[in-house]
Every structure is written in structure tokens, then in C-alpha cells.
Amino acid sequence: MKAEMGAEQPETIAAIVAAHRAGTVTPAQTVARTYQRIRDHNDPAVFISLRDEKDAIAEAEKLAAKEAAGLSLYGVPVVVKDNIDALGFPTTAACPAFSYIPTHDSTAVARLRAAGAIIIGKTNLDQFATGLVGVRSPHGIPRNAIREDLIPGGSSSGSATAVGAGLVPLSLGTDTAGSGRVPAMLNNIVGLKPSLGMISTAGLVPACRTLDCISVFALTVDDAALALSVMAGPDQADPFSRDRPLGAITPLPANLRLGVPRSGQLIFFGDKKAEAAYADALKRWTALGATLVEFDLEPFYETARLLYEGPWVTERYLVIRDLLASAPDAIHPVTREITAAGARLTAADTFSALYRLQGLRKIAERTFTNIDALVLPTAPTAYTTAQVLANPVELNSRLGTYTNFVNLLDLCGLALPAAMRGDGIPFGITLLAPAGHDALLASIGRVFHADTKLTLGAKGVAQPALAPLAASGIDDIPIAVVGAHLSGMVLNGELKALNGQLIEATRTAPDYKLYALKTTPPKPGMLRVEAGKGASIELEIWSLSSSAFGKFVNAIPAPMAIGTVRLADGRSVKGFLVEPEVLGEARDITAYGGWRAYMADAATA
């Protein structure tokens, strides 16, 4: 079975789920498309284990037979970093001698499956999640999705390249020192590193158990935030789990204050193109209305040095000490060298570092008293595979310049594509905020990413328009308008008088006809017809409070009515329709595709 979908194939989670719900694409077709893309991509280093295609399609077909309305990841193919347990796959941490067969899903994977996701494979990684480069695996080096000579980034190399290359729209990585952020930058995708404890780590092979978190790779911020909402929540099976309410995505806050390092504190290791791209990103934030506030980055650098120079490397040693003793040659040489150092640290070293970390955490808390979030480069530069293989430890360390301190300071992070440099190397920024502010980062990050107009991953596909939010209040109601209430049209003032907010411009499903009615002022009437017998009509979605919505609807004169309007992406929204009895004398203007085009033509007639 092969999906025949062409260039219009949905790429994002939101588009895929909408197409599945609308019935324009089936989950089985989406899964088949995924396997075809894996074959076409032809990179055996992406996966450590891949599910049988027929088995995955059979699951998708069963899923399609269920009631799908409540499944937020309905039929979405997902891949999982191979240090996270998923039933039906061995867990290897990229070390064959360590491999075991899990008896159940990790909590995160179980929650994805419950939301309708289909797990199709386990992805390659820097062995035992030790590294930011993606070249420390016996299973090979996954190809960077953007430029083949670049490292893919690690340790979540396979998961990031799978999303960047368009094989799947969602993957799980892990992040202890930047493994959910550096590979996101290098593959031009979004990397979401949640607050510690927000996603259960039950079923995760630990790197540093006190600092680990499961992370998300996706093509858009909205997709990443959706996946986080599915997996977030306390878990009794994880003693490090915390009950952290996620919060809602909101419009870009007024008076947004973003922290930027003091002059002279940024490090790019001589990479002038990266330095220029960061400066351009700051200009973009200013243009979006943010105020940039300088802060002292040095305490954050000091925290970063603690991660590998302090006792936390002992946590890595604890995971593999038995293997180090019994079969040291089974471990990658660089991983072995880094991890073995953990055996030499003392309890005195540990407490000394903990005392210093507590002081640094207090400094970080004070930094955020007048700053909403920090905006930093995700990584200071990018390296080729050849460069890293020639200098594996130092260059890896450089890549963690802006990531190593984050989990030690209990921050959440969101890595965003920011630019495609002239040399074809992607550049990204990361937003950082205190734990529990994940929704704030998503709210501001989605606006920045959309403003860049960068294409998604390596596929060259344009970003979709930002989806409407629940706007300014929890009781707000969206309403679709197609005629005189459109922006700039004669009755638009009625919406504005009720404090209506324009959410988006979009189109209906191709199931409607539009008529010019004989009314004063002129108005159109939109009628739902048999599927495929109509056209896709331009409209706008506005948002009104529930009380304003009631006033607005109460004032609508016949023959207008409010009904359910189906949008092109499968969503439904309340909006203007017309009573069919009055259409006998009306002119069919469906061919114009919308009221604006008709009125413009009428004005020149």
C-alpha cells in the first residue's frame, strides 16, 4: 500500500490530524508515506530498530475504526530515542552489550499511544546519551538533514534528523546538557526541553538522573507544545516527577522583557556568521515589540562548567559502571573516557559543588526578577563531522556553551530556528525561563518562528499560518465571517465595537457556495452543499467574549444564521450561513472564491 498524496501532503501534526479527522487522508496512508520516505531517505544510521511496516499499518487501520474525535495525536507517526522504553522494541542506549527488552512502555510513550500516536521506530543516539555531536554511536552517524557534511547534533541525533528530513512530524529525544536543543538547531527544527519533572522519566535509561528530561522535536512550536500537553503530568512511577500545571498558549504578552548577555560576554569561537545571525534575531525580537534587558551571563557559564568538571559526571558513571568493569571495550572510546572520570570524585567534591550550585541558583533567580525569558544562541557555532572526529572532546564542549547550565538551574527551554546562513548552515536561538514557564516560552516562541518565515526542516515546505488561540480570555468564542464583517468591510466595526480580535484569515472546506444577496448594505450568503460540489471560500476568524458573542448573534437579521462551518484543514468553527429559501433571487458568486474578490470586481464594473 502506498499513499498517493503529492505536494499537498500534510506535514505538521496539526495538519495530519486535521486531514485524518476530515477523512481526506487515512492514518494508514500517512504511515505508508512515512515508510516510503524512510526508504527514499536511505540512511540506515537514523534508526537502531524499525517496526515492520505491515504491523504499523495494521495498527493505523484499527485506529481509524475508532472514534477519533478525542485523540489529539490521531494517527501521527512518532519515533523514539533508543534510551526510552517502547514496548515491542529493545532498548539499547546505542550499546548492543547493554540491550534489554522492556516489559512495558515508558510513561511518556504510553501517553503518546493513548493519544493516538503510532510508534514506528527507535532512533540512534550518542551512546548512553553522552555527547552533543551525534557521532558517538556504533550504529553510524545519521546524516544532518540540512547539510550532509555537518554533524547531526547529539545526543538525540536520530530523533532530530528524522523530523528535520520530514520522515515523521514528531520525535522524542532526551536532554541533560543540551541534547534536545543543539540537534534542533542543526536540523532547522523546534526542540522543546520541558521543565524538569514535567514529563515522567519512568522508562528512561538515565544519563544524569537528577537532571534528565524527555524532550520533543517537531516542525512547529504548536506541534511541540501539543506533544508536551499529551505527556505532561505527575507519575507515581517516577520519584523525580513534579505536578506542574502546563498553562495555556497565549497571545504575545505586552511589555515582553527578554534578557541578553552583557557586551563582550557572548562566545562564538570566531564564527562571525553565527554572531551576525544572533544580532539579527535580537533585531527581530525588538521589531516584535520586546524590550531587551542586559544581564550577567558569567554565573551561568560557571554553572555550565560544574556539569562536567563537577560530580554530575558520576551519575553517568553509575549507569554503566558494571559494563565498564566487565566489558569496557563495548563502550565507545570517547564515552568511556568521559564517564570513567566519574569514579574518581569524592563525597566532599559532591557537597562542595552542591553548595556552589545553590548560590548560583539564587543568582539566576534574581536575574529573572525583571526579565521574562533569556534569549541566547542555541549553540555558538556548527561543526562538520570531520572536524569533530579530529577533536571530539573540545568541540563537543564548545557546543554546550549555552546549554550545559540549563537543567542545573532548573530552567525550561525552547530551541527555535532563527536563520539559514548564507553558507547553508542553520542558526537557532533558545528561550530560557524558570521551571513552570513552558507555556510562556511556547507563546512567545511561536510568534518569533512564524515571523522568520523559515521553511520547515529540510523539506522546503512553508510554515502554516499560526492557528487561532483561545484569545484573550478562557470564555472567548471564535466566529467565522465571510462578507460585510471582514476586515475593512462596511460592518466590520460591529465586531470591533464588541472588542473582537482578528485571529486568522483562512478558507472553508470545498463544500460551500457563495451568493450575493439583495440586502442593504450588500452581503453574501454562504450555503453548505454536498461534499466536493462547492468551492473553498475565503473567510476570517474573529474572537469574541461569550457575552459579546451572544449580543452579536442576537443582532443578526434574517436570512443570516449562525451554524457550524468546516475549514479547509478539517477544523470546525461557528460562523455565518444563509437560509436557503432566499437564494432564488440571489446571484451565485462562488467562482470568485470570496466576498472581497466579488466586491472588487463589482467596484470596477
Side-chain angles (χ1 to χ4, degrees):
M1 175 181 176
K2 182 178 177 181
E4 300 293 342
M5 310 220 204
E8 298 304 313
Q9 171 102 30
E11 298 288 342
T12 64
I13 295 172
I16 289 169
V17 171
H20 290 172
R21 287 177 176 162
T24 55
V25 178
T26 68
Q29 286 176 313
T30 294
V31 170
R33 182 280 300 261
T34 294
Y35 280 88
Q36 186 59 48
R37 285 190 170 182
I38 291 169
R39 287 188 288 272
D40 293 343
H41 187 60
N42 192 28
D43 182 4
V46 172
F47 292 95
I48 292 177
S49 52
L50 186 63
R51 185 176 180 182
D52 179 75
E53 181 176 2
K54 291 180 180 177
D55 182 46
I57 289 175
E59 181 183 335
E61 288 170 342
K62 288 179 184 176
L63 187 67
K66 296 180 183 177
E67 174 54 53
L71 299 179
S72 54
L73 297 176
Y74 173 40
V76 174
V78 177
V79 298
V80 177
K81 186 175 179 178
D82 199 13
N83 59 342
I84 303 169
D85 289 347
L87 198 61
F89 302 91
T91 301
T92 75
C95 181
F98 179 82
S99 178
Y100 64 90
I101 304 296
T103 57
H104 54 270
D105 281 329
S106 60
T107 300
V109 169
R111 289 175 177 175
L112 290 178
R113 290 198 209 259
I118 297 174
I119 310 301
I120 66 158
K122 301 292 290 297
T123 54
N124 202 358
L125 65 149
D126 279 328
Q127 192 176 75
F128 294 110
T130 300
L132 289 171
V133 286
V135 306
R136 300 174 179 174
S137 169
H139 300 281
I141 302 170
R143 291 199 308 268
N144 183 292
I146 304 296
R147 230 180 75 167
E148 289 193 10
D149 62 326
L150 295 178
I151 57 170
S155 59
S156 310
S157 54
S159 288
T161 58
V163 172
L167 309 183
V168 292
L170 173 65
S171 67
L172 295 190
T174 63
D175 190 306
T176 304
S179 295
R181 291 162 279 156
V182 170
M185 181 187 97
L186 292 171
N187 290 279
N188 189 43
I189 59 175
V190 171
L192 187 156
K193 190 220 78 69
S195 298
L196 291 175
M198 180 166 275
I199 299 177
S200 169
T201 55
L204 167 66
V205 177
C208 296
R209 198 172 178 206
T210 59
L211 302 177
D212 291 336
C213 58
I214 289 174
S215 64
V216 177
F217 295 110
L219 295 170
T220 68
V221 174
D222 284 359
D223 279 2
L226 172 62
L228 175 60
S229 72
V230 168
M231 292 183 287
D235 178 20
Q236 291 186 349
D238 175 17
F240 292 93
S241 173
R242 293 194 248 182
D243 189 0
R244 292 190 180 281
L246 185 54
I249 307 295
T250 64
L252 192 71
N255 307 314
L256 178 65
R257 294 171 65 85
L258 296 177
V260 298
R262 291 176 182 170
S263 178
Q265 289 191 324
L266 284 160
I267 300 170
F268 293 98
F269 298 101
D271 189 338
K272 295 297 185 183
K273 287 186 171 64
E275 187 174 2
Y278 177 69
D280 287 344
L282 296 186
K283 290 176 186 174
R284 187 179 299 281
W285 278 115
T286 301
L288 288 169
T291 300
L292 303 183
V293 181
E294 286 196 347
F295 74 99
D296 184 5
L297 188 57
E298 180 50 41
F300 295 81
Y301 283 147
E302 183 181 346
T303 306
R305 290 191 289 271
L306 282 177
L307 186 64
Y308 283 101
E309 296 172 11
W312 283 272
V313 72
T314 303
E315 290 197 271
R316 296 183 184 272
Y317 168 74
L318 289 173
V319 177
I320 61 171
R321 61 180 171 181
D322 292 343
L323 195 60
L324 273 169
S326 63
D329 291 341
I331 302 170
H332 190 282
V334 178
T335 305
R336 186 171 65 234
E337 175 190 345
I338 292 167
T339 307
R344 299 190 288 269
L345 290 150
T346 67
D349 295 328
T350 301
F351 280 106
S352 177
L354 287 172
Y355 299 153
R356 182 56 189 145
L357 178 60
Q358 189 60 24
L360 291 165
R361 283 177 171 169
K362 289 297 181 184
I363 293 171
E365 285 177 16
R366 290 195 293 272
T367 299
F368 284 102
T369 53
N370 69 333
I371 289 172
D372 297 302
L374 309 182
V375 55
L376 294 172
T378 298
T381 187
Y383 294 113
T384 65
T385 300
Q387 287 173 315
V388 169
L389 291 176
N391 189 2
V393 176
E394 182 184 5
L395 299 193
N396 182 94
S397 178
R398 289 181 180 183
L399 290 173
T401 299
Y402 302 112
T403 61
N404 285 349
F405 57 80
V406 172
N407 284 339
L408 284 167
L409 294 176
D410 200 10
L411 307 178
C412 55
L414 183 65
L416 301 164
M420 192 61 69
R421 297 166 24 163
D423 54 7
I425 294 176
F427 177 78
I429 60 166
T430 293
L431 300 171
L432 300 169
H437 289 76
D438 305 73
L440 168 68
L441 296 189
S443 298
I444 64 178
R446 70 196 295 268
V447 175
F448 176 89
H449 187 210
D451 193 67
T452 67
K453 297 182 171 55
L454 288 167
T455 55
L456 301 175
K459 297 296 290 181
V461 176
Q463 287 189 54
L466 285 178
L469 301 175
S472 57
I474 59 173
D475 68 339
D476 284 7
I477 301 172
I479 184 169
V481 299
V482 296
H485 288 94
L486 292 167
S487 300
M489 293 291 178
V490 64
L491 296 182
N492 182 247
E494 293 181 0
L495 287 170
K496 291 185 175 178
L498 293 168
N499 295 314
Q501 298 291 320
L502 176 62
I503 301 298
E504 67 173 308
T506 184
R507 305 184 72 90
T508 69
D511 307 333
Y512 292 88
K513 288 199 169 185
L514 195 67
Y515 297 85
L517 306 177
K518 294 184 176 180
T519 59
T520 304
K523 300 190 199 78
M526 188 169 73
L527 184 71
R528 176 84 179 265
V529 295
E530 185 181 344
K533 298 291 187 182
S536 183
I537 305 298
E538 291 182 348
L539 56 76
E540 289 178 351
I541 299 176
W542 286 70
S543 180
L544 295 168
S545 69
S546 58
S547 60
F549 182 87
K551 292 177 184 176
F552 183 73
V553 170
N554 192 52
I556 291 172
M560 311 311 298
I562 296 295
T564 299
V565 177
R566 212 172 111 226
L567 304 182
D569 62 8
R571 290 176 292 153
S572 294
V573 64
K574 297 302 178 187
F576 276 93
L577 296 171
V578 68
E579 296 170 0
E581 291 82 358
V582 302
L583 298 180
E585 299 179 355
R587 177 184 171 189
D588 186 341
I589 59 170
T590 307
Y592 285 92
W595 184 242
R596 285 188 196 283
Y598 168 74
M599 289 296 284
D601 187 60
T604 59

